[in-house]
Amino acid sequence: TLTVAARLYARQDVTKLGVAPMSSMFLYGPNRLPAFDDFRPQVHDSDGVLMHTARDEWIWRPLNNGPGLRITSLRDDTPHGFGLVQREREFDQYLDAQAHYEKRPSLMVQPLGNWGKGTVRLLEIPTELEANDNIVAYWVPEDPARAGDALEFSYRLHWGMTPPGDRGEELGQVLRTRTGEGGVSGVEKETDERKFVVDFSGGLLRNLSPDAEVVPEITVQQGSVTQTSLSRISGTDIWRLVIDVEGETRSAVELRASLKGYGRTLTETWLYQWIKQ
């Protein structure tokens, strides 16, 4: 844990100031079709960006690698925390006996004091080498810094396998994200839809029966949902949400989903960006 008191003096105008920056690496994971001739099923130091908003919403955005530079901005007013998190913690998920990606730490930023309005900005830079840190996240204040301004930001950095602030105590987490061709498996495809499979686990979900009153809340921008289903996987506490989506070619489709029930939010909010080729 490291506590930071940063005093910044702008010598010239700064349109987009990056505060509490962090970098990581994401080469590929299960949410992307294999583009690498590699025996390892996954290669990454982090698999998602997590944000705990001032409104007490927990947002999980899985990372990706290409095609093209991707910029995601998550707006808020003094968030409780944000960071780059590694959730996959089993050796079998990586099979790398040298790098041991399952042991890579997560990093969470805990703002101290009033940071005001701004955005957590995520940059995903295409790369073909795991030696490149191609993931960057930082806070951008809403107001640009003008020459002569004196700015102060205090925050606490938490590193670890499960650092403070990397989860909501009663909320189900996004366990995994998978994507594939839309439509029904095992039959000839006559669609260019994309299927997204999101597994939620933990929190209050583990105590609910399969017929509990749990419903998904889904929104899509630049696209449309053609089919959805939600069910609890037998013998587990995992709830699986399946979403089929269609969008325009070369459009960036933004998806958002969470599970609700009994007058409350039961899970994190899952965010994803699909760029249809």
Side-chain angles (χ1 to χ4, degrees):
T1 302
L2 178 67
T3 302
V4 178
R7 296 177 176 86
L8 309 176
Y9 302 92
R11 298 184 178 182
Q12 57 186 352
D13 292 348
V14 182
T15 303
K16 294 178 182 178
L17 178 68
V19 179
M22 63 188 78
S23 67
S24 190
M25 180 275 295
F26 184 94
L27 190 64
Y28 62 89
N31 59 320
R32 184 185 178 194
L33 293 174
F36 299 90
D37 188 11
D38 198 305
F39 74 93
R40 299 168 295 179
Q42 303 186 59
V43 175
H44 51 75
D45 290 329
S46 305
D47 52 3
V49 61
L50 180 69
M51 180 179 179
H52 184 193
T53 73
R55 301 180 304 280
D56 206 31
E57 181 183 19
W58 292 79
I59 295 175
W60 175 256
R61 164 71 157 77
L63 299 177
N64 216 323
N65 176 18
L69 174 67
R70 299 189 187 192
I71 301 175
T72 301
S73 295
L74 305 174
R75 296 186 57 81
D76 203 14
D77 188 343
T78 310
H80 293 301
F82 64 91
L84 292 171
V85 175
Q86 183 81 312
R87 281 191 172 166
E88 306 269 11
R89 290 299 184 188
E90 301 297 330
F91 172 78
D92 289 350
Q93 295 166 329
Y94 303 94
L95 299 178
D96 193 320
Q98 282 74 45
H100 283 289
Y101 288 111
E102 76 278 4
K103 297 181 178 180
R104 299 301 170 96
S106 301
L107 171 58
M108 291 298 298
V109 176
Q110 176 191 357
L112 303 175
N114 183 10
W115 280 25
K117 295 181 180 179
T119 60
V120 172
R121 183 153 296 168
L122 170 67
L123 303 183
E124 296 170 298
I125 306 167
T127 185
E128 296 183 357
L129 296 174
E130 62 196 275
N132 295 330
D133 265 20
N134 64 317
I135 303 297
V136 188
Y138 48 88
W139 174 258
V140 180
E142 182 176 77
D143 296 329
R146 303 300 185 188
D149 286 351
L151 308 171
E152 291 193 11
F153 294 92
S154 295
Y155 52 94
R156 189 165 290 129
L157 301 173
H158 298 279
W159 284 272
M161 301 292 275
T162 55
D166 79 331
R167 66 193 61 211
E169 293 299 326
E170 296 185 348
L171 293 178
Q173 288 186 301
V174 177
L175 183 63
R176 64 179 69 89
T177 301
R178 299 291 190 272
T179 72
E181 288 184 326
V184 180
S185 300
V187 300
E188 292 289 338
K189 299 294 189 299
E190 296 182 358
T191 176
D192 58 356
E193 299 170 358
R194 194 73 181 161
K195 186 183 298 293
F196 298 89
V197 179
V198 187
D199 288 344
F200 296 91
S201 178
L204 298 177
L205 288 177
R206 65 169 60 96
N207 300 318
L208 299 179
S209 64
D211 59 351
E213 296 177 4
V214 180
V215 295
E217 185 174 276
I218 304 169
T219 60
V220 179
Q221 296 180 0
Q222 305 298 322
S224 60
V225 175
T226 60
Q227 185 174 345
T228 66
S229 67
L230 174 66
S231 62
R232 179 169 173 167
I233 299 177
S234 178
T236 74
D237 68 347
I238 299 172
W239 288 75
R240 173 163 291 182
L241 175 62
V242 181
I243 311 171
D244 279 36
V245 179
E246 61 182 8
E248 298 294 329
T249 302
R250 292 184 296 278
S251 64
V253 180
E254 300 284 348
L255 299 99
R256 173 186 288 258
S258 61
L259 303 186
K260 312 280 185 178
Y262 303 97
R264 64 187 300 172
T265 300
L266 299 173
T267 66
E268 299 172 329
T269 298
W270 171 81
L271 297 184
Y272 203 85
Q273 184 185 80
W274 168 44
I275 299 180
K276 183 178 178 181
Q277 300 300 302

